[in-house]
């Protein structure tokens, strides 16, 4: 079917608006601050084979990997009208266990499945060896309950036995049940809007324009890749440690450009580690997809067509393509950031004007759990903390924000203190932590909190020794610092730790700054 350019633009926005409305439904009906305040979730629409048609402007590490979860649901379940599949298995398209995905087929007039809708949300606890389910683990079995693709809703009826099993394996079942209900409603919203769209334009037109949008995005992506000089461009960097004493875990990339095709080869990366920083293939794929998307014009719709020029090569059993039952809790949040760093570093060799210096390179994953002293009920707090963005050829880096593979907000102080036995004693920009240069890197954040009850604290962070790199003569950003303050004693802690702390103890997280761009001798910074 020949497409009308005006209708193509209409359908681009209609599909994207459905995904955005799904996200609004999920946010407004969720129970946990991590979802309703931080917006740690993502929503998207998919074709009948599981190819992504449209997404909301949510979280890159979710969105790039979610098609593999949709395809796993299609492969493992006979999906009928009114069904929903739940899964979180990182080795079947997931990322890490707290990210739980719900997939639903879309039928129109009894025909289908014609489309799929899906959402993924980070649950603040899914069991495992430490509160918040982001442990310093050595096996996925220590990280929480593993959910293969299972029908949690069948023919419109909730499988309460399965739901009861899931809730029995988490520390905060009431909050989890509320968030599951929000995820159900998000998918129902997507189904309703896609059905309305098909009824308005007819099914053939909607399906045809979905395909046309994929083809359009592919053409634009190939134009962008073809504009790059052919060649092979390499870069490497390290993860500082895996939380189990193994240090300087190397990630190597060779980006090959040949015509309109791009190959991201990570086969030279180190073997998977005993600790929890292993990334599954779905994460690595999403990182490469994210970087390619940054090279495309903003107005191009993000869908499966964008990524047809891309091939990602890994080595099974490596830190970027771990084998079951590797520990993977930190791979989604920390290793994903370093994979992006090395791919951008390689591209900086060929298009330095289009690539930023390194951003903070970590998500600073803080989990705190215990028993709330006021209610006697378990609580689990989870948050990622922003930092400095890398400077570019024409601007300073942004300060105090999430970067690259995450796109969440912070938890507002009021919501945090209302929900958890925590008091925020300091929340500020970490002035001067950005790298020097003609354009300076963005500054990090200082986040300090006091425990108002005994609690278990876990932190997964990186860039505490290896600084975010600058480009073209720009200086590196300052590494981060983690400190526990107990009465008159301050204790500096490593990038990854698990501790049981007492009421009154303070946790101070100082996040890294971004790298600078350009020699300072070539001109003054704007800062």
């Amino acid at each position: 079917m020949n497409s009308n350019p005006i209708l193509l633009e209409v359908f681009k926005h209609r599909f994207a608006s459905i995904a955005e409305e799904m996200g609004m439904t999920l946010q407004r009906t969720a129970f946990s601050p991590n979802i309703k305040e931080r917006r740690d979730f993502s929503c998207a629409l998919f074709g009948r084979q599981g190819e992504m048609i449209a997404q909301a402007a949510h979280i890159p590490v979710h969105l790039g990997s979610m098609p593999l979860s949709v395809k796993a649901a299609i492969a493992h379940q006979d999906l009928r009208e009114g069904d929903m599949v739940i899964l979180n298995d990182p080795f079947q398209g997931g990322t890490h266990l707290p990210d739980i995905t719900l997939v639903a087929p879309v039928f129109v007039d009894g025909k289908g499945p014609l489309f799929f809708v899906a959402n993924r949300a980070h649950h603040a606890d899914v069991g495992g060896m430490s509160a918040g389910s982001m442990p310093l683990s050595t096996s996925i079995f220590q990280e929480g309950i593993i959910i293969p693709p299972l029908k949690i809703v069948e023919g419109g009826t909730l499988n309460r036995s399965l739901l009861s099993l899931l809730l029995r394996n988490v520390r905060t079942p009431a909050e989890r049940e509320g968030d599951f209900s929000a995820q159900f409603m998000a998918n129902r919203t997507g189904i309703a809007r896609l059905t309305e769209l098909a009824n308005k334009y007819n099914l053939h037109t909607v399906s045809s324009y979905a395909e046309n949008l994929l083809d359009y995005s592919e053409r634009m992506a190939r134009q962008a890749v073809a504009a790059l000089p052919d060649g092979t461009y390499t870069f490497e960097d390290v993860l500082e440690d895996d939380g189990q004493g193994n240090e300087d875990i190397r990630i190597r990339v060779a980006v090959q450009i040949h015509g309109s095709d791009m190959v991201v080869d990570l086969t030279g990366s180190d073997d998977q580690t005993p600790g929890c920083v292993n990334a599954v293939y779905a994460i690595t794929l999403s990182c490469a997809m994210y970087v390619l998307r940054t090279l495309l014009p903003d107005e191009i719709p993000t869908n499966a067509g964008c990524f047809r020029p891309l091939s990602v090569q890994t080595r099974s059993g490596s830190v970027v393509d771990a084998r079951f039952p590797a520990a993977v809790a930190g791979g989604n949040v920390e290793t994903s950031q370093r994979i992006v760093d090395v791919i951008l570093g390689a591209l900086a060799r060929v298009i330095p004007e289009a690539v930023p210096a390194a951003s903070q390179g970590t998500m600073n994953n803080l989990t705190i759990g215990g028993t709330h002293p006021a209610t006697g009920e378990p609580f689990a707090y989870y948050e990622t903390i922003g930092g400095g963005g890398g400077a570019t050829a024409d601007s300073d880096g942004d300060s105090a924000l999430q970067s690259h593979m995450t796109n969440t907000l912070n938890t507002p102080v009021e919501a945090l203190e209302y929900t958890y036995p925590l008091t925020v004693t300091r929340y500020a920009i970490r002035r001067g932590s950005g790298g020097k240069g003609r354009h300076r890197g963005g500054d990090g954040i200082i986040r300090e909190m006091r425990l108002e009850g005994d609690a278990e604290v876990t932190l997964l962070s990186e860039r505490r020794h290896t600084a975010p790199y600058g480009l073209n003569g720009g200086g590196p950003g300052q590494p981060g610092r983690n400190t526990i303050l107990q009465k008159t004693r301050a204790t500096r802690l490593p990038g990854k730790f698990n501790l049981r702390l007492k009421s009154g103890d303070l946790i101070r997280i100082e996040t890294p700054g971004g790298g600078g761009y350009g020699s300072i001798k070539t001109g003054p910074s704007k800062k």
Side-chain angles (χ1 to χ4, degrees), residues 209-277:
Y209 274 92
E211 289 295 328
N212 289 338
L213 279 168
L214 301 187
D215 294 340
Y216 170 65
S217 292
E218 179 184 5
R219 290 194 301 272
M220 299 303 295
R222 289 197 178 279
Q223 286 181 21
V225 175
L228 304 177
D230 285 0
T232 299
Y233 310 98
T234 61
F235 197 83
E236 63 179 59
D237 203 341
V238 297
L239 292 166
E240 293 172 339
D241 70 280
D242 69 346
Q244 299 297 325
N246 302 288
E247 299 180 344
D248 293 339
I249 302 152
R250 198 156 299 277
I251 298 176
R252 297 184 177 93
V253 70
V255 178
Q256 303 164 19
I257 306 295
H258 181 71
S260 66
D261 292 306
M262 174 186 288
V263 177
V264 175
D265 184 346
L266 289 145
T267 56
S269 300
D270 283 356
D271 290 344
Q272 66 187 57
T273 73
C276 68
V277 297

Side-chain angles (χ1 to χ4, degrees), residues 89-132:
D89 188 343
F91 298 93
Q92 296 191 65
T95 49
H96 59 180
L97 298 183
D99 284 341
I100 298 180
T101 305
L102 280 179
V103 182
V106 180
F107 288 72
V108 179
D109 297 330
K111 298 176 183 177
L114 303 169
F115 300 96
F116 293 88
V117 296
N119 68 77
R120 175 172 290 173
H122 183 115
H123 288 252
D125 187 272
V126 292
M129 66 187 288
S130 67

Side-chain angles (χ1 to χ4, degrees), residues 90-428:
F91 298 93
Q92 296 191 65
T95 49
H96 59 180
L97 298 183
D99 284 341
I100 298 180
T101 305
L102 280 179
V103 182
V106 180
F107 288 72
V108 179
D109 297 330
K111 298 176 183 177
L114 303 169
F115 300 96
F116 293 88
V117 296
N119 68 77
R120 175 172 290 173
H122 183 115
H123 288 252
D125 187 272
V126 292
M129 66 187 288
S130 67
S133 309
M134 294 289 288
L136 304 186
S137 49
T138 57
S139 164
I140 193 172
F141 299 118
Q142 299 171 334
E143 296 178 354
I145 187 166
I146 305 170
I147 312 168
L150 299 171
K151 285 188 183 180
I152 193 164
V153 178
E154 188 162 8
T157 300
L158 178 65
N159 183 339
R160 295 198 174 274
S161 296
L162 174 56
L163 180 62
S164 296
L165 174 66
L166 300 178
L167 298 179
R168 189 65 173 168
N169 280 275
V170 302
R171 294 173 176 83
T172 51
E175 186 177 88
R176 300 286 66 75
E177 185 171 12
D179 287 345
F180 282 140
S181 296
Q183 289 187 265
F184 295 144
M185 288 307 302
N187 276 357
R188 291 185 184 119
T189 298
I191 292 168
R193 297 297 176 262
L194 273 172
T195 302
E196 291 169 5
L197 195 63
N199 289 334
K200 178 176 180 178
Y201 287 98
N202 78 55
L203 184 57
H204 176 70
T205 298
V206 174
S207 298
S208 296
Y209 274 92
E211 289 295 328
N212 289 338
L213 279 168
L214 301 187
D215 294 340
Y216 170 65
S217 292
E218 179 184 5
R219 290 194 301 272
M220 299 303 295
R222 289 197 178 279
Q223 286 181 21
V225 175
L228 304 177
D230 285 0
T232 299
Y233 310 98
T234 61
F235 197 83
E236 63 179 59
D237 203 341
V238 297
L239 292 166
E240 293 172 339
D241 70 280
D242 69 346
Q244 299 297 325
N246 302 288
E247 299 180 344
D248 293 339
I249 302 152
R250 198 156 299 277
I251 298 176
R252 297 184 177 93
V253 70
V255 178
Q256 303 164 19
I257 306 295
H258 181 71
S260 66
D261 292 306
M262 174 186 288
V263 177
V264 175
D265 184 346
L266 289 145
T267 56
S269 300
D270 283 356
D271 290 344
Q272 66 187 57
T273 73
C276 68
V277 297
N278 301 295
V280 294
Y281 178 76
I283 291 170
T284 301
L285 177 63
S286 70
C287 295
M289 292 166 68
Y290 163 77
V291 173
L292 175 56
R293 182 63 185 87
T294 65
L295 303 179
L296 306 182
D298 290 344
E299 64 270 16
I300 304 308
T302 304
N303 55 41
C306 290
F307 310 116
R308 288 174 180 168
L310 177 67
S311 173
V312 178
Q313 298 177 354
T314 58
R315 177 173 55 85
S316 179
S318 67
V319 70
V320 297
D321 187 0
R323 293 194 194 107
F324 182 84
V328 298
N332 176 61
V333 287
E334 298 304 293
T335 309
S336 67
Q337 298 285 60
R338 195 65 70 256
I339 295 170
V340 168
D341 285 344
V342 299
I343 299 174
L344 286 174
L347 289 172
R349 301 188 188 282
V350 61
I351 45 171
E353 73 287 347
V355 173
S359 295
Q360 67 160 335
T362 177
M363 295 191 198
N364 308 290
N365 304 265
L366 179 63
T367 55
I368 303 174
T371 301
H372 199 301
T375 65
E377 296 293 325
F379 76 93
Y381 157 84
Y382 171 74
E383 183 162 19
T384 60
I385 305 173
T392 69
D394 55 12
S395 68
D396 292 347
D398 290 324
S399 296
L401 84 170
Q402 304 284 2
S403 57
H404 292 322
M405 296 308 290
T406 183
N407 190 30
T408 58
L409 303 179
N410 66 177
T411 304
V413 172
E414 296 84 355
L416 189 155
E417 294 183 344
Y418 175 80
T419 307
Y420 305 110
L422 302 168
T423 299
V424 177
T425 53
R426 189 179 181 193
Y427 193 28

